[in-house]
């Protein structure tokens, strides 16, 4: 058992290498699969080129922004170059997880469409393996970054564990900064292209989704990848790395530094369990065979992780916490994961009442669809928040009334991120596969395979977002405790009492931040989507041959419009979680403490309402397109398209981007402490 104490870093690095190497093997296998006929490959190349061009432009812009915090961290003597290079590692690894995963996804979509000629299982296998590459890279690079940099700091440079963990805060900040830009930029891109394509193509021109006559159709397919693949990868990488660092900080804070490496060992165990879980995804028979195959992998990995946590926890038994203190907290984290997945599935899955209610409401018009969707989103906040609250209290008491238990629960929850991200990245692959099948005029039998895969992908994307939001809320609570503890170490006020007007003011300002952030993101989608609408209308008007297939649309122009505008529009909202905490902290440390709690509470509710409501709107449209209430072209379908168009920026832009926004605000607060000491000390 002492192995997990004496060699925790080596074990974590070995498990991270397993994740990355298995991801490379899956990439090799995927690229060996047939890529279809020349027309399919031409469409796929257009998607690849558009996605690659956007990400290169996005990361170039973010790199220019990142230069400032890198040098500020390095030259500020209270933080130093250890934190600065940690920031650089976190930023690079976060970008790499999204960039590599997306590049695999855009090469797998055409292979999924071709595999669909052979049947459901071959197509499912290609799509899930493509998603697994992204998922495994997220946890592999996350653990590699945290454990590897800790090893460099302690074994090479000779830092103490306390000092090394402090420098890891820089790594967490780097991952968070990249994440918020990737989430915002990718979200604005994907939903602006989607909204523009749908409003003119479906509603005005009356042509099907993914129709090759729509000038925005390639931009829409590109957006699926830069938003739901690259964006989600950066989001969960950041949450994973931030949580690991936060729990390591908690171990220092509770006076038991030997537990610093415990979260890394838990992460290693779950990586091995996730790799094994990927082998349990064969599609069976029955109406829900596809989603059952995906969930089977998650359940197997969860059970294996619960078993694997036993020897790891036994190795760390002793001191302030005994075996059941730690293991009980870890089990609570796994239970929270299972419950959040199940609840989000209920509110967004096509087989459950909430989605059916929205579809039914579409029969009486656009307004009733919108009202029903908003109501479902609001209701969807109740059960997840109750589960999160129960998990917080349960883990706290499981660890003998200590916050370290909450940290262990969150790390156990995030350790399953590999498979959860695989479920999300599977979605854009199947969505694009259906689009390629439509644009390449493949037999209807191919769409008969890709459409059910895509419908399940809508649900799994929503489930992943619910999981990410819950994890973000819990991780932010751990970071908030670190803010208070660090203030206490410096002799500054740490009692955030409601009879203090500064705290109350901070609560209000923190509470408004997610709303302001989300509103700017929504407005960005509206503005860029409007540009796409005008471009598609212009092409239809000036080139009437497009509609009768005698002329080819200019796809590149639509892609160029969305690429440039999305990058420009992401800047303003991304600055909110950085600048506002700095301004508030300079005014009052108590006010900043109130701000952090206010941001966590309202951000959690707003993000869940947006992502669940948007997912429910999307799948309500899918059920009508499958033939319910008159099917495609009916009045109910038109109302459902409106609801889906409203829900798109909810679930894929503003809602998910709140996750990194919450954590950035808390990390900035922790990094500010040396400055706050010099001002208020």
């Amino acid at each position: 058992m002492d192995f997990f104490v004496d060699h925790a870093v080596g074990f974590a690095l070995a498990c991270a290498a397993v994740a990355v190497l298995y991801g490379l093997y899956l990439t090799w296998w995927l690229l060996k699969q047939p890529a279809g006929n020349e027309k399919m490959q031409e469409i796929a190349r257009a998607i690849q080129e558009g996605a690659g061009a956007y990400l290169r432009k996005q990361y170039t812009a973010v790199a220019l922004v990142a230069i400032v915090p890198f040098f500020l961290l390095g030259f500020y003597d209270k933080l130093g170059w250890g934190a600065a290079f940690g920031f650089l590692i976190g930023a690079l690894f976060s970008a790499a997880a999204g960039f590599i995963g997306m590049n695999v996804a855009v090469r797998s979509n055409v292979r999924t469409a071709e595999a669909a000629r052979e049947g459901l299982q071959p197509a499912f296998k290609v799509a899930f393996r493509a998603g697994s590459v992204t998922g495994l890279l997220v946890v592999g690079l996350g653990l590699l970054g945290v454990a590897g940099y800790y090893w460099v700091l302690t074994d090479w440079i000779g830092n103490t564990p306390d000092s090394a963990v402090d420098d890891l805060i820089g790594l967490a900040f780097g991952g968070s900064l990249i994440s918020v830009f990737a989430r915002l930029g990718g979200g604005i891109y994907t939903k602006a292209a989607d909204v523009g394509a749908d409003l003119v193509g479906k509603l005005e021109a009356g042509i099907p989704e993914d129709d090759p006559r729509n000038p925005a159709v390639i931009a829409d397919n590109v957006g699926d990848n830069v938003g739901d693949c690259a964006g989600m990868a950066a989001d969960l990488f950041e949450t994973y790395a931030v949580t690991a660092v936060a729990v390591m900080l908690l171990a220092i804070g509770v006076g038991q530094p030997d537990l610093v490496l415990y979260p890394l060992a838990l992460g290693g165990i779950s990586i091995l369990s996730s790799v094994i879980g990927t082998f349990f995804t064969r599609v069976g028979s029955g109406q829900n065979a596809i989603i059952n195959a995906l969930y089977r992998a998650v359940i197997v990995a969860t059970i294996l992780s619960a078993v694997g946590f036993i020897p790891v926890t036994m190795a760390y038994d002793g001191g302030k916490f005994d075996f059941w203190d730690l293991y009980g907290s870890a089990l609570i984290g796994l239970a929270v994961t299972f419950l959040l997945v199940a609840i989000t599935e209920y509110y967004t899955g096509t087989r459950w009442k909430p989605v059916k209610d929205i579809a039914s409401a579409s029969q009486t018009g656009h307004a009733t669809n919108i009202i029903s969707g908003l109501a479902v989103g609001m209701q969807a906040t109740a059960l997840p928040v109750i589960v999160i609250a129960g998990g917080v209290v349960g883990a706290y008491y499981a660890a003998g009334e200590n916050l370290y238990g909450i940290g262990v629960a969150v790390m156990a929850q995030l350790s399953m991120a590999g498979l959860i991200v695989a479920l999300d990245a599977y979605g854009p692959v199947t969505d694009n596969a259906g689009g390629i099948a439509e644009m390449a005029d493949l037999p209807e039998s191919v769409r008969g395979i890709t459409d059910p895969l895509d419908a399940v992908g809508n649900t799994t994307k929503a489930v992943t977002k619910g999981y990410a939001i819950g994890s973000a809320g819990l991780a932010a609570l751990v970071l908030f405790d670190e803010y208070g503890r660090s203030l206490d170490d410096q002799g500054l006020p740490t009692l955030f009492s409601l009879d203090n007007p500064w705290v109350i003011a901070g609560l209000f300002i923190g509470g408004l931040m997610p709303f302001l952030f989300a509103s700017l993101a929504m407005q960005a989608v509206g503005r860029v989507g409007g540009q796409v609408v005008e471009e598609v209308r212009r092409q239809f008007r000036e080139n009437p041959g497009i509609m009768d297939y005698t002329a080819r649309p200019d796809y590149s122009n639509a892609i160029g419009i969305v690429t440039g505008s999305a990058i420009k529009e992401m800047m303003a909202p991304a600055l909110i979680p950085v600048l506002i905490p700095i301004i508030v902290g300079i005014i009052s440390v108590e006010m900043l403490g109130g701000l952090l709690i206010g941001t966590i509470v309202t951000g959690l509710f707003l993000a869940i309402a947006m992502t669940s409501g948007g997912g429910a709107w999307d799948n309500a449209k899918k059920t009508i397109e499958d033939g319910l209430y008159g099917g495609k072209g009916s009045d109910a379908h038109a109302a459902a398209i409106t609801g889906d168009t409203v829900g798109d920026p909810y679930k894929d832009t503003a809602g998910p981007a709140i996750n990194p926004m919450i954590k950035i605000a808390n990390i900035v607060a922790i990094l500010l402490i040396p400055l706050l000491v010099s001002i208020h000390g």
Side-chain angles (χ1 to χ4, degrees), residues 150 154 159-168 249 252-253 257 260 485:
Y150 179 86
T154 53
N159 288 4
T160 63
D162 295 30
S163 175
V165 174
D166 286 342
D167 286 343
L168 284 174
L249 285 167
I252 301 294
V260 163
R485 185 188 69 81

Side-chain angles (χ1 to χ4, degrees), residues 57-75 81 83-95 170-171 173-181 570-571 574-575 578 664 671:
K57 197 166 184 177
Q58 174 182 267
Y59 286 140
T60 299
V62 175
L64 294 174
V65 173
I67 290 172
V68 175
F70 172 75
F71 283 109
L72 283 176
L73 290 171
F75 283 114
W81 292 105
F85 281 105
F87 170 84
L88 192 62
I89 292 169
L92 289 174
F93 277 33
S94 178
L171 185 148
F173 182 45
S176 294
L177 192 66
I178 289 293
S179 173
V180 77
F181 280 112
M570 73 182 181
M571 293 298 179
L575 292 175
V578 177
I664 282 185
L671 291 171

Side-chain angles (χ1 to χ4, degrees), residues 125-420:
K125 184 176 182 180
V126 172
F128 179 72
R129 287 194 163 194
S132 296
V133 172
T134 303
L136 291 169
L137 283 176
V138 166
V139 292
L141 292 176
L143 197 58
L144 185 65
V146 175
Y149 194 48
Y150 179 86
W151 176 64
V152 168
L153 290 169
T154 53
D155 284 34
W156 281 24
I157 299 177
N159 288 4
T160 63
D162 295 30
S163 175
V165 174
D166 286 342
D167 286 343
L168 284 174
I169 299 173
L171 185 148
F173 182 45
S176 294
L177 192 66
I178 289 293
S179 173
V180 77
F181 280 112
R183 255 305 182 198
L184 274 172
I188 292 168
Y189 188 113
T190 183
K191 290 307 107 179
D194 196 359
V195 167
D198 282 357
L199 285 178
V200 184
K202 286 184 180 179
L203 291 179
E204 295 183 13
I207 58 178
E209 187 172 8
D210 297 317
D211 193 297
R213 292 172 291 179
N214 193 326
V217 71
I218 297 293
D220 187 8
N221 281 281
V222 169
D224 292 332
N225 294 283
V226 299
D228 275 316
C229 192
M232 176 56 82
D235 185 355
L236 265 300
F237 171 91
E238 172 260 348
T239 304
Y240 187 93
V242 166
T243 300
V245 173
V247 180
M248 295 169 82
L249 285 167
L250 270 181
I252 301 294
V254 300
Q256 196 159 345
D258 56 308
L259 284 173
V260 163
L261 303 181
Y262 179 57
L264 304 183
L266 292 182
I269 290 291
S270 287
I271 282 178
L272 300 180
S273 301
S274 296
V275 170
I276 296 170
T278 62
F279 293 98
F280 289 82
T281 54
R282 184 166 186 83
V283 178
S285 58
Q287 184 178 0
N288 302 310
I290 299 171
I291 200 160
N292 288 343
L294 294 170
Y295 287 161
R296 190 182 306 118
V298 177
I299 291 170
V300 167
T302 302
I303 293 171
L304 291 175
S305 293
V307 174
F309 288 169
I310 293 174
V312 173
T313 306
M314 290 176 68
Y316 287 91
D317 182 9
K320 187 171 289 190
F321 305 105
D322 62 23
F323 172 81
W324 282 107
D325 289 340
L326 300 175
Y327 189 63
S329 300
L331 290 182
I332 288 172
L334 294 178
V336 168
T337 297
F338 175 80
L339 290 171
L340 288 178
V341 167
I343 292 166
T344 310
E345 151 76 15
Y346 171 73
Y347 280 103
T348 59
T350 55
R351 50 181 166 166
W352 305 110
K353 187 175 182 295
V355 168
K356 292 179 179 178
D357 285 347
I358 297 174
S360 178
S362 303
Q363 297 176 90
T364 50
H366 301 254
T368 46
N369 171 282
I370 297 295
I371 291 168
S372 182
L374 289 173
V376 166
M378 292 176 187
Q379 289 174 13
T381 63
L383 290 177
V385 170
I386 290 170
V387 167
I388 291 169
V392 167
V393 174
Y396 177 79
Y397 281 100
E401 301 184 27
N402 196 292
L403 281 170
Y404 189 74
I406 299 174
V408 171
V410 187
M411 189 62 207
Q413 182 188 5
L414 258 300
S415 69
M416 301 306 302
L419 272 182
I420 301 295

Side-chain angles (χ1 to χ4, degrees), residues 436-449:
I436 290 170
E438 179 79 29
M439 289 183 276
D441 297 318
L442 297 187
E444 192 62 31
S445 59
V446 173
R447 287 303 299 245
I449 297 294

Side-chain angles (χ1 to χ4, degrees), residues 10 41 182 186 284 465 471-472 527 552 573 594 623 669 673:
Q41 292 182 45
K465 292 178 179 78
S471 304
R527 282 192 293 267
R552 177 186 171 88
T623 61
I673 287 173

Side-chain angles (χ1 to χ4, degrees), residues 30 125 180 293 321 451 479 488:
L30 286 163
K125 184 176 182 180
V180 77
F321 305 105
D451 282 355
L479 290 169
D488 186 54

